[in-house]
Amino acid sequence: GFVGERVLGTNFSVTAEIRRGAGGFVLGEETALMESLEGRRAMPRPKPPFPTESGVHGRPTVINNVETLFTVPLILGHGAEWWTGLGRSHGTKVFGLSGHVARPGVIEAELGLTLRDLLGHIGGGAPDGRPVTAVALGGPSGILVPPRRFDEPLVPGGNPNPGTGGIAALHAGVPVAEAVRVLLDFNTRESCGKCTPCREGTARLRDMLDGRAPVDRRAVAELADVVRVASLCGLGQAAPLSIQSALSEFPGEV
């Protein structure tokens, strides 16, 4: 009775429709998702206008992900003070633990905890005893974090920033340069191809780390900056973060 005509006998009506998506990393960008919902190829739109002004079929549209919607009834039910009292005034966050941890999976934890908390106390540490030498934080478009920063709190907008909550632990057997190549290759494949900086730049960054020649750090850094600044949407803008963080935090390994 919460969805449909005249909800709970009131004059308010709401229609829910479920669409099965075609998949694709770029669909995490809201305007690309709207294009897909309208039956077109998933390619980001220039902004403005923003979706709240002109969205699906030109109508004002609010787009949220499942994690955000999940928190709404909790905040309404318990109050804003209860929510901000969790963690370091930021509530909770869903993390996806993967890689070299004994207990991988999806967990919810209060923000303000550290990578060491996530990897050791929740993830059970490395399964084979080899130390974790890097963490890919924030999913395919995230950063690489060295062990000396594992005790820094994870808060939105912080440094390190938890981002989307994806965490992949890498032990000493995984070269950082190889991890960066894998992430750049993923972003290259998932690029929709609409804008040149993302389409061409991600592929060139990946190829510059092919191991056949010494890495030209200056050229890589300059191209990474171009891709970040000039790409149309968040996929391209965040794609170089892995190589930029690797050059900064793991200079001897790239």
Side-chain angles (χ1 to χ4, degrees):
F2 291 102
V3 176
E5 299 295 324
R6 299 183 60 81
V7 173
L8 299 178
T10 68
N11 291 326
F12 178 75
S13 300
V14 61
T15 301
E17 179 180 347
I18 297 175
R19 293 287 189 93
R20 183 172 182 172
F25 189 59
V26 73
L27 287 166
E29 203 282 330
E30 57 186 5
T31 61
L33 179 60
M34 293 192 304
E35 289 286 295
S36 180
L37 284 171
E38 294 180 6
R40 292 187 290 273
R41 182 178 176 182
M43 303 178 83
R45 303 174 182 175
K47 291 182 285 190
F50 294 95
T52 50
E53 302 163 353
S54 177
V56 178
H57 301 301
R59 305 179 68 179
T61 303
V62 175
I63 299 180
N64 289 293
N65 62 34
V66 173
E67 183 179 7
T68 301
L69 296 175
F70 177 80
T71 66
V72 171
L74 294 175
I75 296 172
L76 291 177
H78 296 279
E81 290 185 4
W82 169 81
W83 178 255
T84 56
L86 299 174
R88 299 194 178 189
S89 302
H90 293 285
T92 67
K93 174 69 182 169
V94 174
F95 293 93
L97 295 178
S98 63
H100 299 115
V101 290
R103 294 191 297 271
V106 177
I107 60 100
E108 181 184 13
E110 294 182 1
L111 280 165
L113 80 173
T114 67
L115 282 172
R116 200 173 304 280
D117 294 329
L118 286 167
L119 299 175
H121 300 157
I122 298 176
D128 56 7
R130 285 190 283 183
V132 174
T133 54
V135 166
L137 175 62
S141 300
I143 62 174
L144 291 170
V145 182
R148 62 181 175 80
R149 303 188 66 189
F150 285 1
D151 293 310
E152 298 177 15
L154 298 174
V155 293
N159 190 10
N161 189 339
T164 60
I167 294 176
L170 309 175
H171 64 37
V174 180
V176 169
E178 179 60 27
V180 172
R181 277 195 295 269
V182 170
L183 295 174
L184 285 173
D185 186 59
F186 176 86
N187 282 281
T188 299
R189 295 196 313 271
E190 293 297 323
S191 171
C192 74
K194 183 173 184 176
C195 67
T196 303
C198 178
R199 182 185 67 245
E200 302 296 331
T202 54
R204 291 192 182 189
L205 284 172
R206 176 201 59 196
D207 294 343
M208 292 168 83
L209 299 177
D210 62 7
R212 289 180 291 185
V215 174
D216 185 337
R217 294 173 59 89
R218 181 176 178 179
V220 169
E222 289 178 350
L223 178 56
D225 282 339
V226 169
V227 175
R228 284 197 64 187
V229 173
S231 291
L232 178 62
C233 83
L235 189 153
Q237 292 163 9
L241 291 179
S242 60
I243 181 60
Q244 288 180 318
S245 61
L247 289 173
S248 173
E249 302 285 6
F250 303 89
E253 298 188 45
V254 178

